[in-house]
């Protein structure tokens, strides 16, 4: 069964439980030097491995950001988030990639190539208008990128039909183009690392997580070596790390397996863990970093062995090394460098951030195929204004009730407009919220204010798009 469908119409509420199951973690803006508004306001709520990105930003190390759009409809305010997230990362120093997913639009949405090409210009112009720098950043169409397609082919060798079925709910009827477009997206996600491995963040809506799960697996399988924390010659599943660490701590970092088994049994630990430890007998548990060969030649394996000698005490086995008292980051670097020098990719697993979706202006889902649900970035500014004025709200039936009970800002698409894009600053967003729930704000006035801001935004955006159009040739792009 598919649980999150990237081509379907689920909402974040449906996803939140699944996230824990799939290992998505909470996004914590506190670790970031100057978080962007979407981070501060809780609109970006989830992440995978984002600490790699924070670390790179803080230490001025190379990192990349990539995301993409299917050119299958008009660019609308719901697309703003990914665009702004990419631009923000570019401004923080990321090598930034903007993907026009025309292969996917062709196979999953049946868009003609001509239409794809036409619509994609809309996305490119808005992206530049919003602040993307096409000189230092990259824009590519999937269909025109041969390196990407070669990578896609290689990634295809690392997965199979069963895995794709399990992740996406494909079946015998699924067309091969659609299946290929999934691998193309994985190739997109790893593309920034082709020249050189680097942490890469993929800002997306929550529905895109299946692609990240697939790609993280593929990135790992493409490696010649893998590196992991270990405690003994036998394997203990990663999820038991905290329990093992706790036992080790209470015994100054060393304890016999069977003794650890006893102690954990008393504490009511899982049988799987206890049995694994019992099978270890009198072997001592001792933390170590394990480097396993996945696909390295015997020569490369021994070459790596000699490079690791300086890092710590190395025990060599048939297909892995155990390194004691070594620094994990240093080991990872040596492994990655060795791999890349010998023709491997050395991919980092991609990081990701997830944002909430904007609710449609009419309630329900915001979709490019429902005109009233969204405001296109190319809508007439006065039409944008009208759409805000006729949006659904979280208001009460009467003004008296609103004053008495307060509005339901958390359920209000108009409040979302403020929080996601219209508020001048956090203060402003908070003021709207507090006044609304406190009964000091009525929907009519609140909407007029938002409508005004929307019209203003659309007017300015239109001007900036025209400026961008005039400059396209400077960036080697053709206006369409
Ligand atoms: N599948 C994405 C969408 O539905 C588009 C996309 C293609 C993408 N390649 C990507 C998103 C790489 C993030 C990263 O809009
Ligand atoms: Fe929404 Fe504003 Fe009405 Fe509150 S006052 S429910 S934020 S429109």
């Amino acid at each position: 069964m598919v649980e999150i469908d990237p081509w379907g119409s689920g909402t974040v509420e449906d996803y939140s439980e699944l996230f824990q199951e799939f290992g998505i973690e909470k996004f914590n803006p506190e670790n970031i030097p100057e978080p962007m508004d979407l981070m501060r306001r809780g609109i970006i709520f989830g992440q995978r491995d984002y600490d790699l990105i924070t670390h790179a930003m803080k230490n001025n190390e190379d990192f990349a950001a990539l995301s993409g759009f299917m050119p299958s409809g008009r660019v609308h305010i719901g697309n703003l988030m990914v665009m702004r997230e990419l631009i923000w990362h570019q401004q923080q120093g990321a090598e930034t990639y903007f993907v026009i997913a025309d292969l996917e639009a062709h196979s999953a949405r049946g868009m003609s190539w001509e239409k794809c090409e036409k619509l994609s210009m809309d996305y490119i112009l808005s992206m530049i208008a919003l602040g993307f720098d096409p000189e230092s950043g990259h824009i590519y169409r999937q269909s025109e990128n041969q390196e990407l397609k070669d990578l896609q082919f290689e990634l295809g060798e690392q997965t199979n039909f069963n895995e794709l079925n399990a992740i996406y709910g494909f079946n015998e009827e699924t067309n091969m183009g659609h299946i290929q477009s999934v691998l193309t997206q994985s190739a997109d996600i790893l593309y920034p690392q082709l020249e050189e491995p680097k942490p890469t963040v993929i800002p997306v809506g929550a529905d895109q997580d299946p692609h990240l799960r697939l790609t993280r697996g593929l990135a790992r399988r493409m490696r010649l070596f893998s590196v992991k924390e270990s405690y003994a010659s036998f394997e203990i599943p990663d999820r038991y790390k905290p329990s093992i660490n706790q036992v080790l701590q209470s015994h100054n970092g060393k304890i016999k397996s069977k003794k650890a088994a006893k102690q954990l049994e008393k504490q009511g630990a899982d049988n799987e863990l206890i049995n694994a430890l019992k099978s270890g007998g009198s072997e001592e548990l001792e933390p170590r970093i394990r480097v396993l060969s996945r696909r390295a030649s015997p020569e490369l394996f021994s070459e790596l062995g000699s490079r690791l000698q300086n890092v710590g005490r190395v025990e060599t086995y048939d297909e892995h090394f155990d390194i004691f008292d070594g620094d994990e980051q240093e080991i990872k670097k040596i492994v990655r460098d060795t791999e890349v020098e010998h023709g491997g990719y050395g991919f980092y697993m991609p990081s990701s951030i997830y944002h909430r979706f904007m609710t449609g202006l009419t309630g329900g889902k915001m979709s490019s195929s429902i005109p009233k649900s969204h405001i296109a970035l190319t809508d007439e500014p006065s039409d944008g204004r009208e759409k805000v004025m006729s949006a659904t709200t979280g208001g009460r039936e009467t003004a008296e009730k609103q004053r008495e009970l307060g509005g339901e800002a958390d359920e209000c698409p108009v409040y979302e407009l403020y929080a996601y894009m219209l508020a001048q600053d956090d203060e402003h967003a908070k003021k709207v919220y507090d006044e609304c729930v406190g009964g000091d704000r009525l929907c009519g006035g609140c909407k007029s204010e938002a409508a005004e801001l929307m019209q203003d935004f659309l007017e300015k955006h239109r001007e900036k798009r025209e400026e961008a159009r005039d400059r396209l040739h400077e960036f080697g792009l053709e206006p369409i």
Side-chain angles (χ1 to χ4, degrees), residues 79 115 242 251 430:
N79 302 131
K115 206 135 192 238
H251 288 83
K430 190 172 179 318

PDB file of all heavy atoms in Angstrom, residues 79 115 242 251 430:
ATOM      1  N   ASN A  79       3.278  27.678  -4.980  1.00  0.00           N
ATOM      2  CA  ASN A  79       4.629  27.325  -5.429  1.00  0.00           C
ATOM      3  C   ASN A  79       5.696  28.242  -4.839  1.00  0.00           C
ATOM      4  O   ASN A  79       6.892  27.978  -4.963  1.00  0.00           O
ATOM      5  CB  ASN A  79       4.751  27.410  -6.964  1.00  0.00           C
ATOM      6  CG  ASN A  79       3.763  26.527  -7.691  1.00  0.00           C
ATOM      7  OD1 ASN A  79       3.079  26.968  -8.600  1.00  0.00           O
ATOM      8  ND2 ASN A  79       3.672  25.272  -7.297  1.00  0.00           N
ATOM      9  N   LYS A 115       3.878  22.392 -24.692  1.00  0.00           N
ATOM     10  CA  LYS A 115       3.228  23.009 -23.541  1.00  0.00           C
ATOM     11  C   LYS A 115       4.198  23.090 -22.357  1.00  0.00           C
ATOM     12  O   LYS A 115       4.273  24.100 -21.653  1.00  0.00           O
ATOM     13  CB  LYS A 115       1.988  22.191 -23.159  1.00  0.00           C
ATOM     14  CG  LYS A 115       0.974  23.041 -22.472  1.00  0.00           C
ATOM     15  CD  LYS A 115      -0.430  22.838 -22.951  1.00  0.00           C
ATOM     16  CE  LYS A 115      -1.251  23.986 -22.376  1.00  0.00           C
ATOM     17  NZ  LYS A 115      -2.352  23.559 -21.551  1.00  0.00           N
ATOM     18  N   PRO A 242      20.831   3.757  21.694  1.00  0.00           N
ATOM     19  CA  PRO A 242      20.689   4.415  22.997  1.00  0.00           C
ATOM     20  C   PRO A 242      20.803   3.426  24.160  1.00  0.00           C
ATOM     21  O   PRO A 242      21.475   3.723  25.157  1.00  0.00           O
ATOM     22  CB  PRO A 242      19.293   5.033  22.936  1.00  0.00           C
ATOM     23  CG  PRO A 242      18.982   5.159  21.482  1.00  0.00           C
ATOM     24  CD  PRO A 242      19.698   4.048  20.797  1.00  0.00           C
ATOM     25  N   HIS A 251      29.264   1.233  32.740  1.00  0.00           N
ATOM     26  CA  HIS A 251      30.417   0.347  32.964  1.00  0.00           C
ATOM     27  C   HIS A 251      31.708   0.909  32.374  1.00  0.00           C
ATOM     28  O   HIS A 251      32.532   0.168  31.856  1.00  0.00           O
ATOM     29  CB  HIS A 251      30.135  -1.046  32.399  1.00  0.00           C
ATOM     30  CG  HIS A 251      29.140  -1.805  33.209  1.00  0.00           C
ATOM     31  ND1 HIS A 251      27.777  -1.623  33.047  1.00  0.00           N
ATOM     32  CD2 HIS A 251      29.281  -2.701  34.208  1.00  0.00           C
ATOM     33  CE1 HIS A 251      27.130  -2.394  33.892  1.00  0.00           C
ATOM     34  NE2 HIS A 251      28.016  -3.053  34.623  1.00  0.00           N
ATOM     35  N   LYS A 430       1.993  37.933  13.802  1.00  0.00           N
ATOM     36  CA  LYS A 430       1.543  37.644  15.161  1.00  0.00           C
ATOM     37  C   LYS A 430       0.358  38.544  15.533  1.00  0.00           C
ATOM     38  O   LYS A 430      -0.599  38.118  16.170  1.00  0.00           O
ATOM     39  CB  LYS A 430       2.704  37.864  16.129  1.00  0.00           C
ATOM     40  CG  LYS A 430       2.413  37.363  17.529  1.00  0.00           C
ATOM     41  CD  LYS A 430       3.665  37.426  18.394  1.00  0.00           C
ATOM     42  CE  LYS A 430       3.432  36.965  19.818  1.00  0.00           C
ATOM     43  NZ  LYS A 430       2.214  37.403  20.456  1.00  0.00           N
TER      44      LYS A 430
END
